[in-house]
Amino acid sequence: FDDAIGSCGCLINKLVTLGESVQILTVFTGEHDGKVSEFAKKLLDLWKLKNGVIERNIENIKACNVLGVGYSNLPYIEALYRKLGSWLYPFDGDLFGHIHYADFYLPKEISSVISNIYNKDTIFYFPSGRGNHVDHILVKQVGELLLGNGFRVSFYTDFSYEGLITNDVNVHKVTRYFNVGDLEKKIKAF
């Protein structure tokens, strides 16, 4: 929920300041059946949340309001709560590794949904997946599919994973500069 603002809050504020229309599209906001794994329960307790989806969605809306941007949600369930009989990602290490085969369909489906909502003039910013969080990797794959279909797509370094950037020759790195006001607004929203 906080990935767009944590990773791109300064850019978002800069675009808004320049008069651009910005909307944050959060993919994994779907409600689950209320049951959570032991691992998810530990995280929810650590984060002091009763219902992670509802409470984090409220936080997301407040943050978007601080930045003065719109928001939309897609109904896909976050990796922490996805299951197919058993939990797809029952342990911390599972969230940062290989995508479970039951999720292989998601990038194509999500990119289809997005391409039916937005036009090709829209500029999209997707996480690069550098931290190997499975949901970030899936959403990166969505961005790659949209890019391959003629959409305007950029990839950003996922917040909290900046130190994991490699010297990958396939990555075109762009440094953007922001002012103190952009940073202050990001911190207030985050």
Side-chain angles (χ1 to χ4, degrees):
F1 287 90
D2 55 3
D3 297 313
I5 292 168
S7 299
C8 300
C10 289
L11 175 60
I12 292 166
N13 190 66
K14 175 71 72 190
L15 292 171
V16 169
T17 302
L18 295 172
E20 297 289 335
S21 174
V22 177
Q23 181 174 10
I24 294 176
L25 175 64
T26 307
V27 174
F28 296 106
T29 63
E31 283 290 326
H32 53 86
D33 64 7
K35 297 175 185 162
V36 297
S37 67
E38 285 300 313
F39 170 57
K41 184 176 178 349
K42 286 178 187 175
L43 286 179
L44 291 170
D45 290 345
L46 176 69
W47 298 331
K48 296 178 175 46
L49 299 174
K50 292 184 190 324
N51 182 317
V53 176
I54 292 172
E55 291 167 282
R56 293 190 71 205
N57 192 39
I58 291 168
E59 289 173 3
N60 198 41
I61 292 167
K62 288 178 182 177
C64 288
N65 289 336
V66 167
L67 289 170
V69 300
Y71 56 88
S72 293
N73 296 328
L74 294 181
Y76 296 93
I77 297 173
E78 191 175 351
L80 189 59
Y81 308 114
R82 288 200 294 273
K83 61 183 173 178
L84 183 65
S86 60
W87 302 105
L88 301 187
Y89 306 99
F91 304 106
D92 188 43
D94 297 326
L95 285 177
F96 297 92
H98 298 288
I99 295 170
H100 191 282
Y101 73 88
D103 284 344
F104 288 172
Y105 77 98
L106 284 170
K108 187 173 182 180
E109 182 176 303
I110 294 167
S111 67
S112 177
V113 168
I114 291 173
S115 66
N116 285 321
I117 297 171
Y118 298 94
N119 65 49
K120 292 185 178 180
D121 292 332
T122 304
I123 300 172
F124 291 95
Y125 295 87
F126 285 92
S128 65
R130 290 287 183 195
N132 285 327
H133 187 290
V134 293
D135 283 346
H136 294 213
I137 294 169
L138 288 166
V139 173
K140 176 190 177 192
Q141 291 173 354
V142 170
E144 291 169 340
L145 288 169
L146 290 171
L147 182 63
N149 286 321
F151 283 83
R152 298 167 62 190
V153 175
S154 289
F155 297 93
Y156 61 82
T157 302
D158 314 39
F159 180 71
S160 300
Y161 306 123
E162 295 92 352
L164 299 176
I165 294 178
T166 64
N167 291 323
D168 186 343
V169 294
N170 295 323
V171 176
H172 175 74
K173 297 174 188 148
V174 175
T175 301
R176 298 188 186 270
Y177 296 95
F178 305 103
N179 62 40
V180 173
D182 296 326
L183 181 59
E184 289 173 345
K185 196 75 162 212
K186 171 187 172 173
I187 291 169
K188 184 177 180 184
F190 193 61

